[in-house]
Coordinates of all heavy atoms in Angstrom, one line a residue:
D1 N 0.8 -1.2 0.0 CA 0.0 0.0 0.0 C 0.8 1.3 0.0 O 0.2 2.3 -0.3 CB -0.9 0.0 1.2 CG -2.1 -0.9 0.9 OD1 -3.0 -0.5 0.2 OD2 -2.1 -2.1 1.5
F2 N 2.0 1.2 0.4 CA 3.0 2.3 0.5 C 4.2 2.1 -0.2 O 4.9 1.2 0.2 CB 3.2 2.7 2.0 CG 3.8 4.1 2.3 CD1 3.4 4.7 3.5 CD2 4.6 4.7 1.4 CE1 3.9 5.9 3.9 CE2 5.1 5.9 1.7 CZ 4.7 6.6 3.0
P3 N 4.5 2.8 -1.4 CA 5.6 2.4 -2.2 C 6.9 2.3 -1.3 O 7.2 3.3 -0.6 CB 5.7 3.6 -3.2 CG 4.3 4.0 -3.3 CD 3.7 3.8 -1.9
N4 N 7.6 1.2 -1.5 CA 8.8 0.9 -0.9 C 8.9 1.0 0.7 O 9.9 1.1 1.3 CB 10.0 2.1 -1.3 CG 10.0 2.1 -2.8 OD1 10.0 1.0 -3.5 ND2 10.0 3.3 -3.5
R5 N 7.8 0.8 1.3 CA 7.7 0.7 2.7 C 6.8 -0.4 3.3 O 5.8 -0.8 2.5 CB 7.2 2.0 3.3 CG 8.2 3.1 3.2 CD 7.6 4.4 4.0 NE 8.5 5.4 3.9 CZ 9.4 5.8 4.9 NH1 9.6 5.0 5.9 NH2 10.2 6.8 4.7
I6 N 7.1 -0.8 4.5 CA 6.1 -1.8 5.1 C 5.3 -0.8 6.0 O 5.7 -0.1 6.7 CB 6.9 -2.7 6.0 CG1 7.8 -3.6 5.1 CG2 5.9 -3.6 6.8 CD1 8.8 -4.5 5.9
A7 N 3.9 -1.0 5.8 CA 3.0 -0.1 6.5 C 1.9 -0.9 7.2 O 1.6 -2.0 6.9 CB 2.4 0.8 5.4
S8 N 1.4 -0.1 8.3 CA 0.0 -0.5 8.7 C -1.1 0.3 8.0 O -0.8 1.5 7.7 CB 0.0 -0.3 10.2 OG 0.8 -1.2 10.9
V9 N -2.2 -0.3 7.9 CA -3.1 0.5 7.1 C -4.5 0.7 8.1 O -5.0 -0.2 8.6 CB -3.7 -0.3 5.9 CG1 -4.7 0.5 5.1 CG2 -2.5 -0.7 5.0
L10 N -4.9 2.0 8.2 CA -6.2 2.3 8.9 C -7.2 2.7 7.9 O -7.0 3.4 7.0 CB -5.8 3.5 9.8 CG -4.9 3.2 11.1 CD1 -4.5 4.6 11.6 CD2 -5.9 2.4 12.1
F11 N -8.4 2.2 8.2 CA -9.5 2.4 7.4 C -10.5 3.3 8.0 O -11.1 3.0 9.2 CB -10.3 1.0 7.0 CG -9.3 0.1 6.3 CD1 -8.5 -0.8 7.0 CD2 -9.4 0.0 4.9 CE1 -7.8 -1.6 6.3 CE2 -8.6 -0.8 4.2 CZ -7.7 -1.8 4.9
T12 N -10.9 4.5 7.3 CA -11.9 5.3 8.0 C -13.3 5.0 7.4 O -13.4 4.5 6.4 CB -11.6 6.8 7.6 OG1 -11.6 7.0 6.2 CG2 -10.2 7.3 8.0
P13 N -14.2 5.1 8.3 CA -15.6 4.7 7.9 C -16.2 5.8 7.0 O -16.0 7.0 7.2 CB -16.4 4.6 9.2 CG -15.7 5.5 10.2 CD -14.2 5.5 9.8
G14 N -17.2 5.4 6.1 CA -17.9 6.4 5.3 C -17.3 6.9 4.1 O -16.0 6.9 4.0
C15 N -18.1 7.2 3.1 CA -17.6 7.9 1.9 C -18.7 8.7 1.2 O -19.9 8.3 1.3 CB -17.0 6.8 1.0 SG -16.3 7.4 -0.6
N16 N -18.3 9.7 0.5 CA -19.4 10.6 -0.2 C -19.7 9.9 -1.5 O -20.7 10.3 -2.1 CB -18.9 12.0 -0.4 CG -17.6 12.1 -1.1 OD1 -16.6 11.3 -0.8 ND2 -17.4 12.7 -2.2
L17 N -19.0 9.0 -2.1 CA -19.2 8.4 -3.4 C -19.8 7.0 -3.2 O -19.6 6.4 -2.1 CB -17.9 8.3 -4.2 CG -17.3 9.6 -4.5 CD1 -16.0 9.4 -5.4 CD2 -18.2 10.6 -5.3
R18 N -20.4 6.5 -4.3 CA -20.9 5.1 -4.3 C -20.5 4.4 -5.5 O -21.3 4.2 -6.4 CB -22.5 5.1 -4.3 CG -23.1 5.7 -2.8 CD -22.7 4.7 -1.7 NE -23.3 5.0 -0.4 CZ -22.6 5.8 0.5 NH1 -21.3 6.3 0.1 NH2 -23.1 6.1 1.6
C19 N -19.2 4.2 -5.6 CA -18.7 3.4 -6.7 C -19.1 2.0 -6.8 O -19.1 1.3 -5.8 CB -17.2 3.4 -6.7 SG -16.5 5.0 -6.6
P20 N -19.9 1.5 -7.9 CA -20.4 0.3 -7.8 C -19.5 -0.9 -7.8 O -19.8 -2.0 -7.3 CB -21.2 0.2 -9.2 CG -20.6 1.3 -10.1 CD -20.1 2.4 -9.2
Y21 N -18.3 -0.6 -8.1 CA -17.1 -1.7 -8.1 C -16.4 -1.6 -6.7 O -15.4 -2.2 -6.6 CB -16.3 -1.6 -9.2 CG -15.7 -0.1 -9.4 CD1 -14.5 0.4 -8.6 CD2 -16.3 0.7 -10.3 CE1 -14.2 1.6 -8.8 CE2 -15.9 2.0 -10.5 CZ -14.7 2.4 -9.7 OH -14.3 3.7 -9.9
C22 N -16.8 -0.8 -5.7 CA -16.1 -0.6 -4.4 C -16.2 -2.0 -3.7 O -17.2 -2.6 -3.6 CB -16.8 0.5 -3.6 SG -16.0 0.7 -1.9
Y23 N -14.9 -2.3 -3.1 CA -15.0 -3.6 -2.5 C -14.8 -3.3 -0.9 O -14.9 -4.3 -0.1 CB -13.8 -4.6 -2.9 CG -12.5 -3.9 -2.7 CD1 -11.8 -4.1 -1.6 CD2 -11.9 -3.2 -3.8 CE1 -10.5 -3.5 -1.4 CE2 -10.7 -2.6 -3.7 CZ -10.0 -2.7 -2.6 OH -8.8 -2.1 -2.4
N24 N -14.7 -2.0 -0.5 CA -14.7 -1.7 0.9 C -16.1 -1.2 1.3 O -16.4 -0.4 2.3 CB -13.7 -0.6 1.3 CG -12.4 -1.2 1.5 OD1 -12.2 -2.4 1.8 ND2 -11.3 -0.3 1.7
W25 N -17.1 -1.6 0.6 CA -18.4 -0.9 0.6 C -19.2 -1.0 1.9 O -19.9 -0.2 2.3 CB -19.4 -1.4 -0.5 CG -19.6 -2.9 -0.5 CD1 -18.9 -3.9 -1.2 CD2 -20.7 -3.6 0.1 NE1 -19.5 -5.0 -0.9 CE2 -20.5 -4.9 -0.1 CE3 -21.8 -3.2 0.9 CZ2 -21.4 -6.0 0.2 CZ3 -22.7 -4.2 1.4 CH2 -22.5 -5.5 1.1
R26 N -18.9 -2.1 2.7 CA -19.4 -2.3 4.0 C -19.1 -1.2 5.0 O -19.9 -0.7 5.7 CB -19.0 -3.7 4.6 CG -19.7 -4.8 4.0 CD -19.5 -6.2 4.5 NE -20.2 -7.2 3.9 CZ -19.9 -7.8 2.8 NH1 -18.7 -7.3 2.1 NH2 -20.5 -8.6 2.2
I27 N -17.8 -0.6 4.9 CA -17.5 0.4 5.7 C -17.9 1.8 5.1 O -17.8 2.8 5.8 CB -16.0 0.6 6.2 CG1 -15.1 0.8 5.0 CG2 -15.6 -0.8 6.8 CD1 -13.7 1.0 5.3
V28 N -18.5 1.8 3.9 CA -18.7 3.0 3.2 C -20.3 3.2 3.5 O -20.7 4.3 3.7 CB -18.5 2.9 1.8 CG1 -19.3 3.9 0.9 CG2 -16.9 3.1 1.6
V29 N -21.0 2.2 3.1 CA -22.5 2.4 3.1 C -23.2 2.4 4.5 O -24.0 3.4 4.7 CB -23.2 1.2 2.3 CG1 -24.7 1.4 2.3 CG2 -22.6 1.2 0.9
D30 N -22.7 1.6 5.4 CA -23.3 1.7 6.6 C -22.3 1.2 7.6 O -22.4 0.1 8.2 CB -24.6 0.7 6.6 CG -25.3 0.7 7.9 OD1 -25.2 1.7 8.7 OD2 -26.1 -0.3 8.2
P31 N -21.3 2.1 8.1 CA -20.3 1.7 8.9 C -20.9 1.2 10.4 O -21.7 2.0 10.9 CB -19.5 3.0 9.1 CG -20.0 3.9 8.0 CD -21.3 3.5 7.6
K32 N -20.5 0.1 10.8 CA -21.1 -0.5 12.0 C -20.0 -0.6 13.1 O -18.9 -0.9 12.7 CB -21.7 -1.9 11.7 CG -22.8 -1.9 10.8 CD -24.0 -2.6 11.4 CE -25.2 -2.9 10.6 NZ -25.4 -2.1 9.4
P33 N -20.4 -0.3 14.4 CA -19.4 -0.6 15.4 C -19.2 -2.1 15.4 O -19.9 -2.9 14.8 CB -20.2 -0.2 16.7 CG -21.4 0.5 16.2 CD -21.7 0.1 14.8
P34 N -18.1 -2.6 16.1 CA -17.3 -1.7 17.0 C -16.2 -0.9 16.1 O -15.6 -1.5 15.3 CB -16.5 -2.8 17.8 CG -16.6 -4.1 17.0 CD -17.8 -4.0 16.2
F35 N -16.0 0.3 16.4 CA -15.1 1.1 15.8 C -13.7 1.1 16.6 O -13.8 0.9 17.9 CB -15.5 2.6 15.6 CG -16.6 2.7 14.8 CD1 -17.9 3.0 15.3 CD2 -16.4 2.7 13.4 CE1 -19.1 3.1 14.3 CE2 -17.5 2.7 12.5 CZ -18.9 3.1 13.0
L36 N -12.7 1.2 16.0 CA -11.3 1.2 16.7 C -11.2 2.7 17.0 O -11.1 3.6 16.1 CB -10.3 0.8 15.6 CG -8.8 0.8 16.0 CD1 -8.6 -0.2 17.2 CD2 -7.9 0.6 14.8
Q37 N -10.9 2.9 18.3 CA -10.8 4.2 18.8 C -9.3 4.8 18.5 O -8.4 3.9 18.4 CB -11.2 4.4 20.3 CG -12.6 4.0 20.6 CD -13.7 4.8 19.9 OE1 -13.5 6.0 19.6 NE2 -14.8 4.2 19.5
E38 N -9.2 6.1 18.4 CA -7.9 6.7 18.1 C -6.8 6.2 19.0 O -5.7 5.8 18.6 CB -8.1 8.2 18.2 CG -6.9 8.9 17.7 CD -7.2 10.5 17.5 OE1 -8.0 10.9 16.8 OE2 -6.5 11.2 18.4
E39 N -7.2 6.2 20.4 CA -6.1 5.9 21.3 C -5.6 4.4 21.1 O -4.5 4.1 21.2 CB -6.5 6.1 22.7 CG -6.5 7.4 23.2 CD -7.4 7.7 24.3 OE1 -7.6 6.9 25.2 OE2 -8.1 8.9 24.3
T40 N -6.6 3.5 20.8 CA -6.4 2.1 20.7 C -5.5 2.0 19.4 O -4.4 1.1 19.3 CB -7.6 1.3 20.5 OG1 -8.4 1.6 21.5 CG2 -7.4 -0.2 20.6
A41 N -5.9 2.7 18.3 CA -5.1 2.7 17.1 C -3.5 2.9 17.4 O -2.6 2.3 16.9 CB -5.7 3.6 16.0
F42 N -3.4 4.1 18.1 CA -2.0 4.5 18.4 C -1.3 3.4 19.2 O -0.1 3.2 18.9 CB -2.0 5.9 19.2 CG -2.2 7.1 18.5 CD1 -3.2 8.0 18.7 CD2 -1.4 7.3 17.3 CE1 -3.4 9.1 17.9 CE2 -1.6 8.4 16.5 CZ -2.6 9.2 16.9
K43 N -2.0 2.7 20.2 CA -1.3 1.7 20.9 C -0.8 0.6 20.0 O 0.3 0.1 20.1 CB -2.3 1.2 22.0 CG -2.4 2.0 23.1 CD -3.0 1.2 24.4 CE -3.3 2.1 25.5 NZ -4.8 2.5 25.6
I44 N -1.7 0.2 19.1 CA -1.4 -1.0 18.2 C -0.1 -0.5 17.4 O 0.8 -1.3 17.2 CB -2.6 -1.4 17.3 CG1 -3.7 -1.9 18.2 CG2 -2.2 -2.3 16.2 CD1 -4.9 -2.0 17.4
L45 N -0.2 0.7 16.8 CA 0.9 1.2 15.9 C 2.2 1.2 16.7 O 3.2 0.8 16.2 CB 0.4 2.5 15.3 CG -0.7 2.5 14.4 CD1 -1.1 3.9 14.0 CD2 -0.4 1.8 13.0

């Protein structure tokens, strides 16, 4: 996902577009808990 680097990837919920070929559509159309809170994300990273 990040040229020439090993990365962790965070996914934000929701989107203003509705691309019919979207494969992350579950977090786009109707994002459902449990959400990963900011502090927890920092701990994992």
Side-chain angles (χ1 to χ4, degrees):
D1 286 279
F2 196 146
N4 309 318
R5 285 186 182 269
I6 298 170
S8 294
V9 184
L10 285 167
F11 298 87
T12 63
C15 185
N16 59 307
L17 299 181
R18 290 294 179 269
C19 305
Y21 50 85
C22 178
Y23 60 90
N24 275 349
W25 60 272
R26 284 181 179 79
I27 67 170
V28 160
V29 176
D30 184 19
K32 294 235 190 334
F35 292 108
L36 177 67
Q37 301 301 326
E38 188 173 297
E39 276 156 42
T40 314
F42 281 131
K43 280 199 187 99
I44 295 170
L45 294 170

